[in-house]
Amino acid sequence: MRWYIVLRYAGSVLLANSAILLCVFLYSLAIDDGAQMVLLLSALLMALTGLFPVILVPNESHINEREGYMVVVFAWLSVCFFGMLPYILWGGPFDLAGAWFEAVSGFTTTGATVVAQVEALPHSLLLWRSLTHWISGLGVVAFFLLVQPGGGHASMVLSRSELSSMARHDFRYRTMTLLRMMSVTYLIITLLIVVGLLLAELPLFDALNLALSTVPTGGLAVRSTSVSAYNSLPAELILMAGMFICSLHLGLLSSAVRQGVRQVLRNPVLQGFALIVTIAGLLIGLNLYYTGTYDTLSMSFRRSFFMVISYISTTGFATTNANLWPPASILLLILISFIGGCSGSTAGGMKTDRILILLAALRAYLVKLRHPQAVVMPHVSQSKVTSNVLLSVFIFAVTYVAIVLFHTLLMSFFGYDPLTSFSVSASCMGNVGPGLGAFGSMDSMATIPSVLKFSMSIVMLLGRLEIFGILLLFAQTRNR
């Protein structure tokens, strides 16, 4: 294990992020919002820390898989640590635990916050919060690989380490080519959402920050009451479209240009995801209407579909307080947040792809029980699911649920009720943001004990890195 390589690449990632933070400083300087020195000092500390290993350590174009995974993990930890500097130097609602929580929540695109009154923060700090989402939507290492000039074999290994195998499945492009395709799509969707929200008559600052939070399915808003502050149906429709689209594989979206939309619509994962959204939206809408939560069917469906897309995309925007909904609707929201978006998207959760594979395996198992002599292979549409893929999906699902349950138990020791403990734990693991119960869709996490803020941060990182990368590092270290 060559640690100097890990330090060099982690330093390079810090340098790339410090350049973004320096741009935020220039914005703060232009509007004179009082956060100039905080941002400048943070950017300089981040840049100097990243500069030392870049200067002192020789460049290495060949790295192995283990080193690639280690770079990814250390890069994420580094940007979260230095990304919290603007918060902790600003003070106010941020103590050490709160600043770390806010940074991890931003970079993992979770979107939970410890800030109760968001509007009280300077605009430049709010912009930095949103940019931590946008930078890490594809991954902080992927962001660095896109802005650095050619990295050869090392770039290939690093991009493969950060993009999950599910994200690369069914795409015949080289990993770096796929990453560039996804990135172009990412940028275009961001610009389209900004323009759409401006046409919906939202202020420019709000439109920009909402777009920067929508595309990475992050959900940090610049209003304390999230999207409900605007009470704008056009804005809600634009955000719903953005959240839905960004829950799909970005490579699939870019391939629509060459293959045509009709061909892409035949994708079984897209069809499965759309079906889940439709069924959940209809069920919750009907439940809201017939329990008298809303007076009209149109308002019930307006609220239900926005919140369904927000939760399944793991964005976490809110147009209403879901804590006031009937129990069936609340449980459905928790369920779909477990499912999440599609692999290769910016969404979190277990991923629709894995759910479809597990359902295909269950169907094959039931057929096998009826016909013991038959040779039955699980299929998703016309594609066979190999035993290796099935095993990895099963292990991921079991580990995912186990982490959620363990953290639920941990929160219950601190006196939180089962709904709050489970929903917040599932929200952190799925990078959703808001929970339910004591910490709903419009509540901050300010009152949570510092110990839980740190444990929740670990769960966020496990969810964002899809567990296996971190576990593989420990397994290889032990085998050595």
Side-chain angles (χ1 to χ4, degrees):
M1 181 67 193
R2 297 172 295 176
W3 285 100
Y4 65 90
I5 293 177
V6 176
L7 292 176
R8 177 183 172 83
Y9 277 100
S12 300
V13 170
L14 284 178
L15 278 177
N17 280 269
S18 68
I20 298 296
L21 187 53
L22 188 60
C23 293
V24 178
F25 157 71
L26 294 176
Y27 170 72
S28 177
L29 195 64
I31 64 174
D32 191 21
D33 63 354
Q36 298 95 313
M37 291 308 299
V38 165
L39 293 166
L40 178 60
L41 182 58
S42 301
L44 290 176
L45 287 173
M46 187 183 294
L48 288 173
T49 305
L51 190 61
F52 278 111
V54 171
I55 293 177
L56 299 177
V57 177
N59 190 23
E60 179 62 62
S61 60
H62 283 76
I63 64 176
N64 59 43
E65 296 290 339
R66 186 186 173 208
E67 289 166 345
Y69 280 112
M70 189 65 80
V71 167
V72 169
V73 173
F74 269 74
W76 277 88
L77 292 175
S78 298
V79 295
C80 288
F81 179 81
F82 285 94
M84 77 174 182
L85 289 179
Y87 306 130
I88 200 167
L89 291 176
W90 176 258
F94 302 111
D95 57 7
L96 177 61
W100 169 255
F101 181 93
E102 198 79 11
V104 174
S105 178
F107 278 107
T108 58
T109 71
T110 302
T113 182
V114 297
V115 183
Q117 193 63 32
V118 176
E119 293 87 348
L121 291 178
H123 273 201
S124 55
L125 274 184
L126 293 177
L127 180 60
W128 172 242
R129 287 166 84 237
S130 301
L131 282 169
T132 58
H133 272 348
W134 197 80
I135 291 169
S136 57
L138 290 174
V140 294
V141 175
F143 170 74
F144 158 69
L145 292 175
L146 289 167
V147 298
Q148 76 154 349
H153 177 265
S155 293
M156 180 187 68
V157 173
L158 288 173
S159 58
R160 195 165 59 230
S161 299
E162 187 152 56
L163 281 177
S164 70
S165 59
M166 295 293 292
R168 300 191 302 269
H169 186 63
D170 285 341
F171 285 85
R172 297 182 177 87
Y173 307 107
R174 291 183 178 180
T175 306
M176 281 300 294
T177 302
L178 176 60
L179 181 60
R180 290 191 181 94
M181 289 170 53
M182 294 167 67
S183 303
V184 171
T185 305
Y186 191 79
L187 179 60
I188 291 173
I189 297 173
T190 303
L191 296 175
L192 289 175
I193 293 176
V194 172
V195 173
L197 292 175
L198 288 175
L199 293 176
E201 300 183 348
L202 264 64
L204 174 60
F205 182 77
D206 294 51
L208 175 61
N209 281 271
L210 286 175
L212 293 175
S213 292
T214 301
V215 179
T217 61
L220 283 173
V222 291
R223 303 293 179 95
S224 299
T225 54
S226 193
V227 178
S228 67
Y230 308 103
N231 192 27
S232 168
L233 179 58
E236 291 173 25
L237 292 174
I238 291 166
L239 292 175
M240 287 168 66
M243 290 186 291
F244 183 92
I245 290 171
C246 292
S247 299
L248 307 177
H249 197 303
L250 295 178
L252 180 69
L253 296 174
S254 60
S255 66
V257 178
R258 291 175 300 279
Q259 299 179 10
V261 176
R262 185 174 298 180
Q263 182 68 25
V264 170
L265 291 177
R266 295 174 184 171
N267 183 278
V269 178
L270 187 156
Q271 293 174 348
F273 180 75
L275 182 62
I276 294 170
V277 169
T278 302
I279 292 174
L282 290 174
L283 287 176
I284 291 178
L286 292 172
N287 184 235
L288 294 176
Y289 179 68
Y290 286 109
T291 56
T293 306
Y294 299 106
D295 294 333
T296 63
L297 196 59
S298 60
M299 181 57 73
S300 298
F301 284 131
R302 174 180 171 180
R303 295 291 184 243
S304 70
F305 273 97
F306 186 94
M307 296 297 283
V308 162
I309 296 175
S310 179
Y311 269 74
I312 198 170
S313 68
T314 70
T315 307
F317 285 143
T319 55
T320 186
N321 187 354
N323 273 329
L324 304 178
W325 284 8
S329 296
I330 291 175
L331 289 174
L332 274 172
L333 282 182
I334 295 175
L335 176 62
I336 61 174
S337 70
F338 250 90
I339 296 172
C342 307
S343 294
S345 71
T346 60
M350 289 181 64
K351 301 294 192 297
T352 303
D353 314 53
R354 293 190 176 99
I355 300 299
L356 293 179
I357 288 172
L358 290 174
L359 291 175
L362 175 61
R363 184 168 58 247
Y365 181 72
L366 293 176
V367 172
K368 184 71 174 177
L369 288 178
R370 291 183 60 188
H371 307 283
Q373 303 303 319
V375 178
V376 184
M377 286 286 292
H379 287 76
V380 176
S381 186
Q382 301 299 318
S383 302
K384 291 183 180 180
V385 180
T386 66
S387 57
N388 286 338
V389 171
L390 183 57
L391 179 62
S392 67
V393 168
F394 179 76
I395 293 175
F396 179 90
V398 171
T399 309
Y400 188 102
V401 174
I403 293 172
V404 172
L405 293 178
F406 175 80
H407 196 268
T408 299
L409 181 62
L410 178 62
M411 288 195 68
S412 69
F413 281 128
F414 284 80
Y416 291 104
D417 62 272
L419 174 61
T420 299
S421 300
F422 183 75
S423 65
V424 169
S425 300
S427 175
C428 289
M429 189 63 187
N431 304 130
V432 180
L436 292 163
F439 302 101
S441 48
M442 295 187 182
D443 298 314
S444 76
M445 305 287 183
T447 60
I448 287 183
S450 296
V451 173
L452 285 182
K453 286 175 183 172
F454 283 113
S455 68
M456 290 165 66
S457 301
I458 294 172
V459 174
M460 291 179 206
L461 286 166
L462 283 169
R464 184 64 179 85
L465 295 176
E466 296 208 336
I467 305 171
F468 285 158
I470 295 177
L471 294 184
L472 182 60
L473 293 176
F474 288 111
Q476 291 183 346
T477 301
R478 183 176 180 181
N479 289 338
R480 185 178 176 182

